[in-house]
Amino acid sequence: MTAISLGPRPSRRDNLTRRIRLLVAATITYNVIEAIVAITAGTLASSTALIGFGLDSVIEVSSAAAVAWQFSARDHAVREAREQRTLRIIAISFFALAAYVSVDSVRALAGTGEADHSIPGIVLAALSLAIMPFLSAAQRKAGRELGSASAIADSKQTLLCTHLSAVLLVGLLANLLLGWSWADPIAALVIAAIAVKEGRDAWQGKGCCAPTAHTPAATTEGTCGCAEGCSC
């Protein structure tokens, strides 16, 4: 029985690796700017939601930096060896984000203070809602083809930032237009629950679509060699 390799060719693998490096660099750059603007605007408006969003951006940077560290290795075997440690860092980032958002949401619901309106915060949330889905989708696509669980996990971190952007935008607009101070923390608690799930999946190495090294010829074309619990 002939064995065939489902993994990408070395030249394609190198191209995917370079693409992931560029996407991670773009994510880090944007999140650094996002963190500075959000924390500054949040401090001026006394908005815990905006400050929390800025701190989420800091966590995003740590996650993307972990993937950048993994893919900085030129040798494929070294990148493979770094995969598990990178997944652990990403998982911890998810858990830290969930913990902060939960505490911040409970404090907001307890009425520890009302935030002022923030037009810069609304603009930032709208921009992030437009930009982050494209970065996430591009990295997830490259990660799946390459079979990198860490790249896929980091793309989920970026996608979670998209959800947080939507939550922040709705909360800031509700505060501005309707005076609903409770809308943002309620939705943020849902995001925290999602972050816990994604963190657990990253810790367990789920969500990957790593190609199987060798598969019998009888295997149908397009079949994915995912581990149990993975979605292809």
Side-chain angles (χ1 to χ4, degrees):
M1 185 177 293
T2 305
I4 60 173
S5 175
L6 293 181
R9 296 188 304 272
S11 59
R12 178 60 178 167
R13 187 172 62 203
D14 291 342
N15 288 335
L16 290 169
T17 298
R18 283 193 294 271
R19 184 182 304 174
I20 290 175
R21 287 197 194 106
L22 289 174
L23 290 169
V24 168
T27 301
I28 291 175
T29 301
Y30 182 82
N31 274 286
V32 168
I33 297 172
E34 186 180 69
I36 293 172
V37 174
I39 293 175
T40 301
T43 301
L44 293 174
S46 300
S47 171
T48 53
L50 261 174
I51 294 173
F53 184 73
L55 292 177
D56 162 66
S57 300
V58 175
I59 294 174
E60 286 261 355
V61 170
S62 69
S63 174
V67 176
W69 166 74
Q70 178 191 350
F71 281 89
S72 65
R74 297 295 178 182
D75 186 78
H76 177 64
V78 175
R79 293 196 299 269
E80 289 280 311
R82 292 179 176 180
E83 177 98 349
Q84 193 62 32
R85 188 179 300 177
T86 302
L87 282 170
R88 291 288 192 263
I89 294 173
I90 293 173
I92 291 171
S93 297
F94 271 120
F95 295 144
L97 172 59
Y100 181 85
V101 169
S102 297
V103 172
D104 189 55
S105 299
V106 170
R107 287 179 56 194
L109 289 171
T112 56
E114 293 186 1
D116 295 330
H117 303 152
S118 177
I119 300 302
I122 292 173
V123 172
L124 176 66
L127 282 174
S128 296
L129 192 58
I131 293 173
M132 287 300 178
F134 292 101
L135 288 175
S136 175
Q139 185 172 338
R140 184 167 59 254
K141 180 180 179 181
R144 282 178 174 170
E145 186 175 349
L146 186 61
S148 171
S150 60
I152 295 171
D154 186 58
S155 75
K156 290 184 177 182
Q157 179 81 280
T158 304
L159 185 61
L160 183 62
C161 183
T162 302
H163 298 158
L164 282 174
S165 300
V167 167
L168 178 65
L169 183 60
V170 169
L172 293 177
L173 288 175
N175 187 25
L176 175 65
L177 302 175
L178 303 173
W180 292 355
S181 59
W182 48 265
D184 178 49
I186 290 295
L189 286 174
V190 176
I191 296 298
I194 296 173
V196 170
K197 177 186 180 300
E198 298 294 355
R200 186 179 66 246
D201 287 350
W203 189 273
Q204 296 173 352
K206 293 182 179 179
C208 59
C209 217
T212 305
H214 296 285
T215 301
T219 302
T220 57
E221 183 178 358
T223 299
C224 181
C226 292
E228 183 180 357
C230 291
S231 175
C232 300

